[in-house]
């Protein structure tokens, strides 16, 4: 049986080097999705723009006006 001894400093250096090589390898690969060759991806349906009801629009306008007044009061 063979015993291999390394110092903590050497172990730390080996680990740092391995992690650096792994980070470089992952950065070069980019995002890869493992899909079978005969599988096709479907495009996502576009999200329709949110339409606000007049009641909600008025509520938001009121809140914005109140916040503007508070901000102005703070500044003076």
């Amino acid at each position: 049986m063979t015993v291999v001894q390394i110092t903590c400093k050497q172990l730390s250096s080996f680990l740092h080097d391995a992690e650096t090589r792994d980070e470089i390898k992952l950065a070069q690969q980019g995002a890869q999705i493992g899909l079978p060759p005969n599988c096709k991806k479907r495009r996502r349906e576009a999200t329709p723009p949110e339409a606000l009801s007049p009641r909600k629009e008025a509520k938001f306008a009121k809140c914005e006006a109140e916040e503007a007044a508070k901000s102005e009061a703070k500044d003076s």
Side-chain angles (χ1 to χ4, degrees):
M1 183 164 106
T2 305
V3 177
V4 178
Q5 293 182 347
I6 60 173
T7 64
C8 291
K9 188 175 183 177
Q10 288 174 318
L11 179 61
S12 175
S13 175
F14 292 151
L15 181 60
H16 181 267
D17 293 344
E19 287 176 340
T20 303
R21 277 187 258 127
D22 188 49
E23 287 175 7
I24 292 170
K25 183 179 175 184
L26 288 175
Q28 289 173 344
Q29 285 179 343
Q32 294 181 350
I33 300 174
L35 295 176
N38 60 347
C39 185
K40 293 184 180 179
K41 289 172 51 174
R42 289 186 288 166
R43 291 185 67 87
R44 180 176 169 230
E45 292 180 19
T47 305
E50 185 179 342
L52 295 177
S53 66
R55 192 171 124 228
K56 282 189 178 182
E57 188 72 44
K59 181 180 174 183
F60 287 134
K62 180 182 174 188
C63 288
E64 287 176 350
E66 288 173 357
E67 287 298 321
K70 286 180 188 178
S71 178
E72 194 174 305
K74 270 187 182 179
D75 291 343
S76 49

